[in-house]
Amino acid sequence: FTLMAYDNSLEFRVINTNTNKAHVKTRNELFNMYADSFKLNRGYVKSICKKENPREDINAINKNKNGPIDVGLCQVNSKTAKELLKLEPKQLQDVETNIYAAHKIARHKVDSFKNTNKPDDNVVRRYNGYDKSASNKNYTRDVLNIWAVTTE
């Protein structure tokens, strides 16, 4: 049995309740672990999450105009999480689950475009809810700029 605990220091303690031993994982370690697991570029999802939630507020919840809410560090859309992962908004409030869900959704978007690891306009727009509006193009530009900085 594993218990996750976190605080605002960006560290997460994974505690095995059988042995009472803890292992500390940082957010970066979680992002890298899931990027590797889903065979995504390590900066891709982290860049989307940084754009979605610049203050990196793990408790952030935002209501969309069309009804669903975006939850947590990566602002995972509740409708997408329910349809693709069978996760409820409350589950997305767990930081590791949120990071996992963001990577799973990103992998799904990459696969739906037969894309490589490199984020491009279509994949980033699909993560954000695809439309051709100027605001979505600005969103895509911002994510790609963040991604470029994180991979330098």
Side-chain angles (χ1 to χ4, degrees):
F1 182 77
T2 303
L3 174 67
M4 290 291 293
Y6 59 89
D7 57 33
N8 287 331
S9 70
L10 309 182
E11 293 184 343
F12 304 87
R13 290 172 295 290
V14 181
I15 303 165
N16 183 322
T17 55
N18 293 328
T19 63
N20 207 26
K21 292 184 179 177
H23 171 73
V24 176
K25 287 190 180 200
T26 64
R27 286 185 194 175
N28 276 339
E29 287 174 323
L30 292 171
F31 274 106
N32 290 342
M33 179 178 76
Y34 287 116
D36 294 348
S37 175
F38 286 105
K39 295 179 175 52
L40 293 165
N41 179 288
R42 286 185 169 189
Y44 175 33
V45 174
K46 191 185 299 185
S47 301
I48 291 172
C49 295
K50 183 70 173 171
K51 172 61 181 170
E52 289 281 337
N53 187 354
R55 294 180 331 168
E56 300 179 23
D57 178 0
I58 61 175
N59 299 309
I61 297 177
N62 291 295
K63 185 163 176 39
N64 294 305
K65 292 177 186 173
N66 62 345
I69 58 173
D70 294 336
V71 181
L73 182 64
C74 296
Q75 291 292 278
V76 174
N77 183 277
S78 60
K79 181 179 177 190
T80 304
K82 181 135 179 121
E83 290 173 354
L84 188 63
L85 303 163
K86 309 296 185 237
L87 291 173
E88 297 295 331
K90 185 169 180 73
Q91 294 170 290
L92 294 171
Q93 291 175 320
D94 173 77
V95 175
E96 184 170 4
T97 301
N98 195 274
I99 292 171
Y100 163 82
H103 281 84
K104 176 75 173 175
I105 292 165
R107 180 78 253 170
H108 176 75
K109 301 304 182 183
V110 168
D111 290 346
S112 71
F113 281 98
K114 308 276 190 259
N115 194 282
T116 63
N117 262 353
K118 183 179 176 189
D120 71 3
D121 288 2
N122 284 327
V123 174
V124 173
R125 275 194 224 143
R126 288 279 180 175
Y127 186 93
N128 188 41
Y130 189 79
D131 68 49
K132 295 181 180 180
S133 68
S135 66
N136 200 296
K137 288 179 183 175
N138 290 340
Y139 173 93
T140 301
R141 182 201 63 228
D142 291 348
V143 168
L144 295 176
N145 286 339
I146 293 167
W147 182 73
V149 170
T150 62
T151 58
E152 290 179 343

